[in-house]
Amino acid sequence: AEFCLEGIDYLRYFTIEFKDNLLKILAITLILLTGAVYMGRSAMGTSPGKKRVEDYKQEKNFDAKKQVFTNRQQDILDAMWKQNFSIKNMCYNIVDFLKKRKDIEPTGKLPEVKPDLAEFLKPSDELKVIWFGHSSFLLNMDGVVVLVDPMFSVAAAPVSFMVKRFQEAVLPLDELPEVDYILISHDHYDHLDMDSVKFFANKTAKFITPLGVGARLEGWGISAERITEKNWWEEASFEGIKFIATPAQHFSGRGMFDRNKTLWASWVLQSKNHNIYYSGDSGYDIHFKEIGDRLGPFDVAFLECGQYDQKWSEFHMLPEEGVVEVKKVFSGALGNVRFGHAYLV
């Protein structure tokens, strides 16, 4: 009864506070209720099956009872999740999202430079990087081409009219050079894009992912032989490049009922000439120091720095953490990612 009364109370709040946009509110509600069975069903992907889940039960960061992956401080993150997604705060957050706030997106096209692919592919001991916005970037690392978290679709969502990107990527997928490896940090829509993955279904690029994400890829037509899945602190080596999965403080999920069914990770890439760190999405915790102590120093650290909020600081670093605190842990150049792509909530 208390739950129902609270819901009615905030329905009144919706009606009074945002009466001119009730149709938008109803539309979003309808999308949330029907997306899993209609428009977004394919994009949500395949969750890990029984065999995978059975294998995960031996992992220290997997809760066998709940059948989900966990963070070091999972109780703190669960409390934050409960607080932000209560009926009360969901109402406030949806209203806040629908209101037209100032300065949340550019008024014109963002500046960009068309990459010189001939120069990018030219043999060199230097690390070469092309950034496509947000967390998608292309590396030429000792002659091996690695594509990280490719998101080339118009929207970071299961439907094309939500969370739209500001502008197209500076290069479309069909203009990319041949990609050797595709590295994925986790399965959220702004990091794992179904259409971008499907583009590589008939190509030779191999995928390297955290545990469970391979199930998503297989559901989109990527053969299991082309997929390598790793838990934190596990590694895989290909063509002189060592890919090491490292901890992150985040979560996963593409639908309403699959939160934390797949793992999230940061990554270290090591070669003869380079030692690189990519944070993926992560709140600040002691894992940064542990990674730096065990695998550093790094030539370059690609760290998320944008689209943060105090409400979810456990999942995403605030600027002072990403720039000031992490610089104490990592040496070398700092490359900021996870901005300049779309307005995310």
Side-chain angles (χ1 to χ4, degrees):
E2 183 179 352
F3 178 87
C4 293
L5 288 174
E6 185 182 3
I8 292 169
D9 185 33
Y10 285 96
L11 181 60
R12 292 196 192 101
Y13 164 75
F14 259 51
T15 305
I16 295 170
E17 178 70 16
F18 221 63
K19 60 183 178 181
D20 294 334
N21 286 280
L22 285 178
L23 288 177
K24 290 183 181 179
I25 294 168
L26 291 173
I28 286 180
T29 302
L30 185 61
I31 290 168
L32 292 173
L33 292 174
T34 63
V37 295
Y38 185 54
M39 296 178 70
R41 186 173 182 179
S42 177
M44 288 180 184
T46 306
S47 293
K50 290 182 179 179
K51 185 182 184 304
R52 273 188 167 94
V53 173
E54 194 62 32
D55 291 340
Y56 302 156
K57 290 180 180 179
Q58 62 183 342
E59 306 293 347
K60 293 180 180 179
N61 55 345
F62 187 78
D63 186 323
K65 184 177 180 180
K66 296 180 180 179
Q67 297 192 0
V68 295
F69 288 97
T70 63
N71 290 282
R72 187 184 73 87
Q73 302 184 96
Q74 191 60 46
D75 54 339
I76 295 175
L77 277 74
D78 287 343
M80 184 227 68
W81 188 275
K82 184 176 181 180
Q83 170 66 22
N84 284 315
F85 290 92
S86 66
I87 292 179
K88 173 181 176 181
N89 286 305
M90 279 290 286
C91 291
Y92 285 131
N93 288 339
I94 292 175
V95 169
D96 187 46
F97 173 71
L98 291 175
K99 283 182 176 177
K100 292 187 180 298
R101 292 187 284 178
K102 296 180 180 179
D103 302 323
I104 63 171
E105 57 184 78
T107 57
K109 188 174 182 179
L110 295 169
E112 63 183 25
V113 177
K114 192 83 169 181
D116 183 342
L117 292 181
E119 183 63 31
F120 176 80
L121 294 172
K122 188 180 296 183
S124 171
D125 290 340
E126 298 297 320
L127 177 70
K128 299 180 181 181
V129 184
I130 299 174
W131 179 57
F132 298 108
H134 203 64
S135 298
S136 300
F137 55 98
L138 191 69
L139 298 172
N140 184 342
M141 191 172 178
D142 295 344
V144 178
V145 177
V146 181
L147 180 59
V148 180
D149 281 353
M151 204 324 244
F152 286 78
S153 292
V154 297
V159 288
S160 62
F161 55 86
M162 296 179 67
V163 200
K164 298 184 72 172
R165 63 187 304 147
F166 295 143
Q167 64 198 54
E168 294 181 355
V170 67
L171 286 177
L173 282 166
D174 58 8
E175 290 186 17
L176 293 181
E178 184 175 354
V179 174
D180 299 307
Y181 300 95
I182 299 174
L183 186 67
I184 304 295
S185 64
H186 62 297
D187 71 2
H188 285 160
Y189 290 91
D190 53 329
H191 294 257
L192 180 66
D193 174 46
M194 178 186 69
D195 289 337
S196 297
V197 169
K198 285 185 172 182
F199 175 83
F200 291 95
N202 296 319
K203 299 185 181 299
T204 59
K206 294 181 172 62
F207 289 78
I208 304 169
T209 80
L211 292 178
V213 179
R216 310 286 195 200
L217 303 180
E218 290 175 22
W220 296 329
I222 305 299
S223 63
E225 293 76 20
R226 293 171 57 194
I227 302 169
T228 299
E229 300 179 50
K230 294 297 178 182
N231 198 355
W232 297 339
W233 303 117
E234 293 180 347
E235 62 185 57
S237 295
F238 301 99
E239 299 183 63
I241 308 292
K242 185 183 293 184
F243 298 84
I244 308 170
T246 46
Q249 182 171 284
H250 201 56
F251 66 106
S252 67
R254 296 177 70 85
M256 297 176 67
F257 307 106
D258 64 349
R259 182 155 57 99
N260 295 352
K261 295 294 185 181
T262 66
L263 185 61
W264 49 96
S266 58
W267 289 92
V268 172
L269 285 72
Q270 297 178 336
S271 70
K272 178 180 67 174
N273 294 308
H274 305 291
N275 193 21
I276 300 168
Y277 175 73
Y278 168 50
S279 69
D281 281 359
S282 180
Y284 190 76
D285 194 29
I286 63 173
H287 65 276
F288 283 109
K289 186 176 189 309
E290 185 177 8
I291 294 167
D293 288 345
R294 291 175 62 167
L295 299 172
F298 300 104
D299 308 320
V300 180
F302 295 98
L303 304 173
E304 69 153 316
C305 73
Q307 297 167 326
Y308 53 87
D309 194 297
Q310 287 286 354
K311 292 195 294 288
W312 53 75
S313 60
E314 290 87 348
F315 291 147
H316 291 291
M317 284 186 289
L318 300 174
E320 58 270 23
E321 294 169 331
V323 177
V324 179
E325 294 300 322
V326 177
K327 280 289 281 184
K328 296 177 183 178
V329 177
F330 298 111
S331 61
L334 180 65
N336 294 325
V337 295
R338 205 179 190 275
F339 69 98
H341 174 282
Y343 173 50
L344 300 183
V345 294

